Amino acid sequence: RGGKEDSRGALVVLEGLDRCGKTTQSARLVTNLERLGYSAELWRFPDRTTSVGKMISSYLSNESQLDDHTIHLLFSANRWEKRSLMESKLKSGTTLVVDRYSYSGVAFSSAKGLDIEWCKAPEIGLLAPDLVVYLDIPPEKAAERGGYGGERYEQLEFQKKVGHNYQVLCSPTWKIIDACSSMEDVEEQLQEMFFVGLIRNIYFNDSTTIV
Ligand code: 2DT
């Protein structure tokens, strides 16, 4: 197990509503995989460190306004600018645990009323995950956890729409964890899914429709 040079890393994506525990659990999974001898990295989208990411960050914190289509395409561009690094990391054997990906892109933008097929289009050609884990929490429960910051989208009514869109996007290959369970339970289930539920194709299919 672990660290074999001849096998590529896995692309694992965590999705879910705000306050479902994605960030904590992504970090824990990476720590656990490293402990088991895997090469693993924690990634997140939006990646706010790039110039596109800075525009996104300023939009999210309400410091700037952008047309809904424009910001949608920036989120997508933020994934595209990371695609080649992502591919080379995976090919060199590093597993990437990614906190949000294309599914957030579609679920959030279509919650504003944008056409869902239009929202999916710019994601075509990005790397398809080997495993998508959805941390499932009712929006009301997530809101009770508090800590909704002041960022755009962090409002109950909007999160309800996003939750509905995730259900629309959810494919049978997604693994679902009840995010109301204890942190330890979620952590354990996630690790198990990494080993049991992972379907790792040898080659990436560049033209995969990922959403
Ligand atoms: P964080 O709180 O996780 O930093 O997310 N979002 C995210 C989109 O609208 N489109 C996307 O493509 C992605 C990746 C979800 C910041 C917010 O940005 C939203 C919450």
Side-chain angles (χ1 to χ4, degrees), residues 18 22-23 44-46 48 56 60 72 75-76 79 99-102 104-106 108-109 151-154:
D18 285 32
K22 284 183 307 302
T23 305
R44 68 178 310 150
F45 288 108
R48 303 187 191 214
I56 294 172
L60 287 171
H72 181 76
F75 273 115
S76 185
R79 285 182 280 281
D99 179 356
R100 295 192 189 279
Y101 197 54
S102 304
S104 283
V106 177
F108 279 76
S109 288
E151 288 210 322
R152 214 183 276 262
Y153 306 152
E154 294 180 330

Side-chain angles (χ1 to χ4, degrees), residues 27-42:
R28 288 189 176 199
L29 180 60
V30 168
T31 305
N32 291 333
L33 292 178
E34 284 177 328
R35 197 177 291 143
L36 291 165
Y38 287 82
S39 162
E41 282 183 18
L42 176 60

